[in-house]
Amino acid sequence: MITRRTALMGAALAAMVIAAPALADDLKLPRERVELVAPPFVHPHDQIAKDGPKIMEFKLTVREKEVVIDDNGTKMQAMTFNGSMPAPMMVVHEGDYVELTLVNPETNTMPHNIDFHAATGGLGGGALTHVNPGEQTVLRFKATRPGVFVYHCAPEGMIPWHVVSGMHGTIMVLPRDGLKNAEGKPLHYDRIYYVGENDLYIPKDENGKYKTYDSPGESFGDTIEVMRKLIPTHVVFNGRVGALTGKNAMTAKVGETVMIVHSEANRDTRPHLIGGHGDYVWETGKFNNPPAKDLETWFVRGGSAGAALYTFRQPGVYAYVNHNLIEAAELGATAHFKVDGEWNNDLMKQVVPPGPIPPAKSSAIDATVLTR
Amino acid sequence: MLLAMKLKAALAVAALASPLAMTAVTPRDTAPPERALTALKAENFPYRLAGDFSRDGKPVAAPLRQMRLGSSLGIMTRQVTAAEYARCVADGGCPRIPQASGAEDMPMVGVSWRDATAYARWMTRTTGKLHRLPSDEEWVFAAAEKASDDALPLAGAADPVAAWIARYDAEASRERPAVLTPQPIGAFGRNERGLQDVAGNVWEWTDTCFVRHDVEPSGAVRVTNTNCGVRVVQGAHRAYMTDFIRDPRSGGCAAGVPPANLGFRLVVEQERWPELRRMAERIADKMLRSL
Ligand SMILES: [Cu+2]
């Protein structure tokens, strides 16, 4: 019979097993260990691969934690990879191997796993990465298709809840020789930002006040009720209202080309840069398809990521929104860019600043013109 | 004293019930759901270990063991009813969970392990007798012929994909209960130990945590992880459920038939045996030290 004592002994033994290096290195390829950074930033990377395929090592640690999601202090029991919503973006090149260490610390309450839309087989890795609190696992998959791809937690029976609780991110698989336009001309970016959109479903009490819970488990029942109605209480970028505005606004300079990767792991969205465009947009996010040009708004399907390149031509503040403007303005899906540089009067000029409406010269003449 | 009498009565009922259950199919007991305990004397029984087993990181079938509980078992003859649970809610001991029917003779369903545990604590407080969920071993022993051996086919460990597909097929081919809505107590008859509605359409929470094991080349089994956020649920088949789930569904990529409903029955510790045993242990320790 399994007693508590044997269970404890087992846990101790498991810790020792985990500590021991167990990876048989069957691939004779160079390895590169990457330190991930929290969005909207992306870890340093080459846009054109310098040499042949590598094994790219990443580590994600699951963090279950309470987060504040708006300026009213509304709290949510979040589940995250590495503590951020969305999870960090990974960048590799086509033909590289992604080797992920997934850690579920003992302090967590729930099993988790990971499904990479960029991976082939095994439910994207979900079937091979189920880790209980106190366990870790290592998954390796080959990045066979270039593009930006969502990854997310997918535990049996609770997938949507884990996803809308924050467990999703993006991996970018770049072509080895870099990005190209439809004519095969190389495309390059000076900066990259990762915007992850979250649709959140926070339960309310009978007085319409947002409820708080002590653990994800306690929030489960009520949250599912809200989720099943399909109307989010918050639609935000990077985990909270205002995560990418004001002091946290993204920055750029006139003349710089910025890559904006936008993901939504659950629900459709339509990014739009107010005052700018998408010069080159991979709406579906997959680089073997030629990028669309000169878009005003692009569509990112739920469960996918899209990528847009834009060269800023004018300084000032730009709003980057989900152009369902109710979601942008009322539910939170707004980010800002602050852009430095010289104003270009050719592109736009304020010919007459706003002022009083001048009196009409002769209304009689106007009337004649109109009736002729 | 009262308990002892009840136990005797239950024993008598059980003794009468078992031959009946073996000879006649009783689709439905008409007797009111009296609050009876069935007392079961320890005896050997086969037990398929719960949890996850692997050898060299590849899934293998769980070992089958001959087991014997340390003492006799006092377990509820039927599942906890909605009416009983409602009394705990009214007393502030249990969270309120809406039921389709609150009739006296309906099993309580839609409960999580946490709710069931809260009820057991409340029963312990109000009766002064230790009430608790059974362990998976105890449930299997009490369920007797109704317990299912869930050793899934594991095509050669060398081929984990074949094992994965075999498991999918086995889970997908499980029979769905004919009716999914909860039925009155007794609708699923008695098992050979006299327990009612075992493996009907209400699965029962146990206290057993999800445990991952490593089977060593010697055959020795080593626990590598214990996750008490997931507990064993028992019924027509064994399942593993996160402890706050009230409404089981197979969801996502799972193929299996999920438990139709989640309910529970409790074990009542007989008299003061646990304390007595602890006292005996203390005395034994002292004796050992004085030797
Ligand atoms: Cu998760």
Side-chain angles (χ1 to χ4, degrees):
Chain A
M1 228 207 245
I2 302 146
T3 66
R4 193 173 299 249
R5 193 190 290 146
T6 51
L8 284 172
M9 281 160 58
L13 279 167
M16 288 188 263
V17 169
I18 286 162
L23 279 178
D25 210 347
D26 47 344
L27 275 180
K28 298 281 174 277
L29 288 177
R31 291 178 165 266
E32 185 178 329
R33 179 156 197 89
V34 180
E35 289 307 320
L36 291 167
V37 299
F41 305 106
V42 179
H43 66 81
H45 57 272
D46 295 323
Q47 291 177 43
I48 296 170
K50 290 209 173 81
D51 18 52
K54 287 189 215 169
I55 301 171
M56 304 291 284
E57 299 176 2
F58 299 93
K59 183 173 170 182
L60 289 176
T61 302
V62 180
R63 304 245 176 255
E64 297 172 4
K65 62 175 199 180
E66 186 179 78
V67 296
V68 172
I69 57 163
D70 62 23
D71 296 334
N72 304 322
T74 303
K75 287 176 182 154
M76 175 177 119
Q77 289 293 332
M79 294 185 265
T80 70
F81 292 110
N82 280 13
S84 64
M85 287 167 62
M89 187 161 123
M90 305 169 185
V91 185
V92 301
H93 285 94
E94 187 179 353
D96 283 347
Y97 292 81
V98 178
E99 193 172 281
L100 173 81
T101 302
L102 180 65
V103 184
N104 188 0
E106 193 143 39
T107 44
N108 285 342
T109 59
M110 245 167 297
H112 302 280
N113 65 355
I114 192 162
D115 164 2
F116 281 98
H117 291 185
T120 306
L123 306 177
L128 305 177
T129 52
H130 191 94
V131 279
N132 292 302
E135 291 183 317
Q136 70 171 34
T137 185
V138 181
L139 175 78
R140 190 174 69 208
F141 72 89
K142 190 173 185 176
T144 56
R145 294 155 203 270
V148 282
F149 296 84
V150 160
Y151 66 81
H152 62 88
C153 187
E156 213 174 88
M158 286 194 254
I159 301 174
W161 180 53
H162 280 238
V163 172
V164 302
S165 297
M167 298 194 80
H168 55 87
T170 292
I171 182 166
M172 178 159 77
V173 182
L174 286 166
R176 294 208 83 79
D177 55 352
L179 298 170
K180 305 236 166 66
N181 70 6
E183 291 77 45
K185 186 181 148 275
L187 294 171
H188 169 273
Y189 47 87
D190 301 302
R191 285 170 195 258
I192 179 167
Y193 287 110
Y194 172 34
V195 177
E197 188 167 327
N198 317 91
D199 45 322
L200 307 175
Y201 304 82
I202 313 298
K204 290 177 182 159
D205 65 17
E206 47 297 339
N207 304 317
K209 259 191 74 192
Y210 287 117
K211 290 173 81 170
T212 55
Y213 303 87
D214 290 334
S215 69
E218 282 158 82
S219 75
F220 175 75
D222 292 349
T223 305
I224 291 288
E225 290 283 307
V226 184
M227 283 163 57
R228 288 181 74 127
K229 298 195 176 84
L230 298 174
I231 301 172
T233 56
H234 298 71
V235 178
V236 302
F237 294 153
N238 291 27
R240 66 163 287 165
V241 177
L244 300 176
T245 62
K247 269 186 275 179
N248 307 317
M250 296 175 281
T251 59
K253 294 192 180 77
V254 168
E256 275 184 343
T257 299
V258 177
M259 165 80 115
I260 309 166
V261 176
H262 193 115
S263 75
E264 227 297 5
N266 189 59
R267 192 169 170 272
D268 299 342
T269 184
R270 51 208 69 69
H272 172 93
L273 182 64
I274 302 180
H277 302 93
D279 289 336
Y280 294 97
V281 181
W282 292 269
E283 207 180 34
T284 57
K286 307 305 168 278
F287 299 136
N288 278 338
N289 304 295
K293 281 158 74 171
D294 303 331
L295 298 195
E296 58 174 326
T297 298
W298 44 103
F299 183 64
V300 176
R301 294 140 183 83
S304 78
L309 279 183
Y310 183 60
T311 305
F312 282 96
R313 291 154 176 86
Q314 205 69 301
V317 174
Y318 291 72
Y320 177 80
V321 298
N322 167 344
H323 211 289
N324 177 325
L325 295 168
I326 302 161
E327 296 180 2
E330 297 297 323
L331 301 188
T334 298
H336 291 153
F337 277 95
K338 268 188 322 190
V339 181
D340 286 341
E342 289 283 310
W343 182 265
N344 179 343
N345 274 325
D346 185 41
L347 284 171
M348 184 180 280
K349 185 184 160 90
Q350 189 175 49
V351 183
V352 179
I357 302 167
K361 281 168 202 150
S362 162
S363 50
I365 290 168
D366 282 353
T368 347
V369 172
L370 281 171
T371 48
R372 251 218 310 246
Chain B
M1 287 177 305
L2 244 173
L3 180 71
M5 276 165 63
K6 271 189 190 161
L7 274 171
K8 266 183 206 154
L11 268 171
V13 169
L16 280 171
S18 22
L20 262 177
M22 286 171 77
T23 51
V25 180
T26 43
R28 165 110 189 239
D29 284 7
T30 44
E34 86 280 17
R35 189 176 176 78
L37 279 183
T38 296
L40 301 171
K41 278 216 200 84
E43 54 183 82
N44 292 341
F45 66 102
Y47 177 66
R48 178 77 63 183
L49 267 57
D52 194 75
F53 290 80
S54 56
R55 178 177 287 159
D56 298 331
K58 304 217 172 69
V60 292
L64 185 66
R65 294 269 164 84
Q66 279 301 312
M67 289 230 148
R68 191 185 175 91
L69 301 180
S71 61
S72 61
L73 181 71
I75 188 164
M76 285 177 63
T77 306
R78 55 162 175 75
Q79 292 162 341
V80 171
T81 64
E84 283 171 327
Y85 185 88
R87 284 195 276 281
C88 176
V89 174
D91 198 34
C94 296
R96 182 177 306 280
I97 303 163
Q99 298 289 293
S101 162
E104 275 290 322
D105 65 341
M106 293 300 282
M108 179 66 195
V109 295
V111 284
S112 69
W113 177 88
R114 295 178 183 191
D115 304 327
T117 304
Y119 180 81
R121 269 203 297 271
W122 177 78
M123 281 297 286
T124 301
R125 231 174 21 246
T126 52
T127 64
K129 291 185 198 98
L130 180 61
H131 287 62
R132 60 171 177 82
L133 288 171
S135 68
D136 184 55
E137 295 91 324
E138 288 168 336
W139 191 94
V140 167
F141 174 58
E145 86 285 6
K146 295 277 190 184
S148 78
D149 180 356
D150 61 357
L152 292 169
L154 293 164
D159 187 352
V161 173
W164 184 21
I165 290 173
R167 192 180 319 191
Y168 176 93
D169 288 342
E171 285 176 0
S173 63
R174 266 180 196 145
E175 248 174 81
R176 243 163 239 279
V179 269
L180 295 177
T181 49
Q183 300 297 304
I185 297 291
F188 295 94
R190 288 177 191 265
N191 75 349
E192 65 183 38
R193 298 203 199 281
L195 267 61
Q196 289 178 295
D197 306 317
V198 176
N201 72 6
V202 177
W203 270 249
E204 299 173 14
W205 285 100
T206 79
D207 226 12
T208 296
C209 301
F210 177 79
V211 178
R212 231 199 263 282
H213 310 79
D214 187 50
V215 182
E216 289 169 352
S218 67
V221 169
R222 209 161 46 77
V223 174
T224 58
N225 181 270
T226 301
N227 178 13
C228 290
V230 172
R231 303 276 171 160
V232 174
V233 165
Q234 273 287 12
H237 67 263
R238 182 152 61 183
Y240 302 93
M241 282 283 148
T242 299
D243 63 1
F244 54 78
I245 297 290
R246 287 172 171 162
D247 175 19
R249 64 196 87 179
S250 67
C253 311
V257 176
N261 301 284
L262 292 175
F264 63 111
R265 76 179 77 213
L266 295 175
V267 164
V268 183
E269 287 286 2
Q270 297 163 35
E271 319 242 27
R272 302 191 171 279
W273 288 3
E275 283 102 305
L276 279 175
R277 196 184 316 138
R278 269 195 293 280
M279 210 185 290
E281 277 165 4
R282 271 201 299 276
I283 293 165
D285 283 348
K286 257 187 202 154
M287 285 164 70
L288 277 171
R289 257 178 273 133
S290 67
L291 278 176

